[in-house]
Amino acid sequence: AIRDLVLNDGVRLDGRKTEDIRDIWTEVDYLPSTHGSAVFTRGETQSLASVTLGTSREVNMIDMPTNQSEETFYLHYNFPPFSTGEARPLRGTSRREIGHGMLAQRALEKVMPEDCPYTVRIVSEILESNGSSSMASVCAGSLALMDAGIKIKSNVSGIAMGLISEGDNYAVLSDILGDEDHLGDMDFKVTGTKEGITACQMDIKIKGLKYDILVEALHQAKKGRLEILDKLDESI
């Protein structure tokens, strides 16, 4: 029923049109005792990001069979059960949290200054979630970095794009809800600045994507990203 409503009437589950983005509320310097912090809320998805600056002794040691190195910038993403209204025990970091944290880290490390003297750690706590919490982490992390005084080149915004398709008929959705991710055919996350894309990741539930759908999704994502970017710049 939801898929038919989108394809036939262009109306989504929460009454938005396909290109509409949920209401955004942000605040920086939210936690008094951290080096930098920010809250980013989009609809029913909220991320609280805190930035801690450390010395060169606090780098993240990478010790893999093929790679031994040090990371001076890293992001941790926490998704507690209460964020989706669940009451279940905390069992340590899940694969999902590692993957989402890695995506948000890739999105933000592209704008980090090369001569940054600190080890920078961002922790994104998801306080409530209804779709695209990793993209909320990118937006909150970007604001928190600026709040901490890190001279990043630009704010970075992120958006999750969805797709509903039946044969040749399809609709690309901006800023998807959890249900649109679950019931739809695609979850395509795109992050970037005004200059370009810094990271992207796609999960699809259909066999493949036509090239023109991909082009349309990227164009629509750019429009949404720039709209969110304006809100972040305004907040700063």
Side-chain angles (χ1 to χ4, degrees):
I2 289 165
R3 292 172 69 92
D4 287 345
L5 191 66
V6 172
L7 289 174
N8 300 332
D9 302 339
V11 177
R12 294 160 66 176
L13 194 57
D14 55 357
R16 284 183 293 155
K17 299 279 188 289
T18 54
E19 292 194 16
D20 290 352
I21 291 166
R22 292 171 289 175
D23 289 340
I24 292 172
W25 169 78
T26 60
E27 193 170 318
V28 290
D29 196 20
Y30 198 75
L31 301 171
S33 57
T34 58
H35 290 128
S37 62
V39 172
F40 177 86
T41 312
R42 177 169 40 195
E44 294 173 316
T45 298
Q46 184 173 68
S47 166
L48 169 62
S50 54
V51 170
T52 307
L53 308 179
T55 65
S56 57
R57 295 207 312 234
E58 289 156 320
V59 292
N60 193 24
M61 304 293 287
I62 307 291
D63 190 6
M64 291 157 58
T66 55
N67 173 24
Q68 289 180 317
S69 59
E70 295 175 343
E71 252 183 350
T72 55
F73 171 73
Y74 47 102
L75 185 147
H76 291 140
Y77 164 99
N78 295 322
F79 192 82
F82 69 75
S83 67
T84 51
E86 294 172 47
R88 55 183 167 79
L90 291 164
R91 289 272 187 258
T93 314
S94 67
R95 277 190 319 167
R96 182 186 172 281
E97 285 173 303
I98 290 168
H100 278 47
M102 203 61 229
L103 173 65
Q105 181 175 321
R106 286 207 321 268
L108 290 169
E109 71 187 353
K110 301 278 194 304
V111 295
M112 286 293 287
E114 285 169 22
D115 58 351
C116 180
Y118 304 106
T119 295
V120 180
R121 180 190 184 209
I122 303 176
V123 178
S124 170
E125 301 283 354
I126 303 303
L127 303 181
E128 61 171 340
S129 176
N130 185 1
S132 55
S133 57
S134 61
M135 298 295 92
S137 299
V138 171
C139 298
S142 178
L143 291 173
L145 282 169
M146 285 197 167
D147 185 42
I150 300 293
K151 293 180 182 175
I152 59 173
K153 296 164 190 169
S154 157
N155 263 317
V156 181
S157 65
I159 190 168
M161 307 300 292
L163 173 72
I164 299 213
S165 61
E166 295 287 344
D168 291 333
N169 196 8
Y170 69 89
V172 176
L173 311 177
S174 293
D175 183 26
I176 55 174
L177 299 166
D179 281 337
E180 289 171 336
D181 180 6
H182 181 67
L183 301 165
D185 301 328
M186 173 177 84
D187 178 11
F188 183 26
K189 301 179 172 79
V190 188
T191 70
T193 65
K194 285 188 172 73
E195 302 300 313
I197 292 169
T198 57
C200 62
Q201 179 176 300
M202 182 190 281
D203 312 323
I204 54 173
K205 302 185 182 85
I206 48 179
K207 281 187 178 162
L209 212 57
K210 287 182 184 163
Y211 185 72
D212 49 353
I213 298 179
L214 180 64
V215 170
E216 187 176 324
L218 282 166
H219 279 301
Q220 201 168 310
K222 183 180 182 184
K223 188 181 166 197
R225 277 194 300 110
L226 295 178
E227 198 177 308
I228 298 162
L229 211 49
D230 289 341
K231 289 270 190 344
L232 300 185
D233 290 344
E234 208 176 287
S235 171
I236 282 293

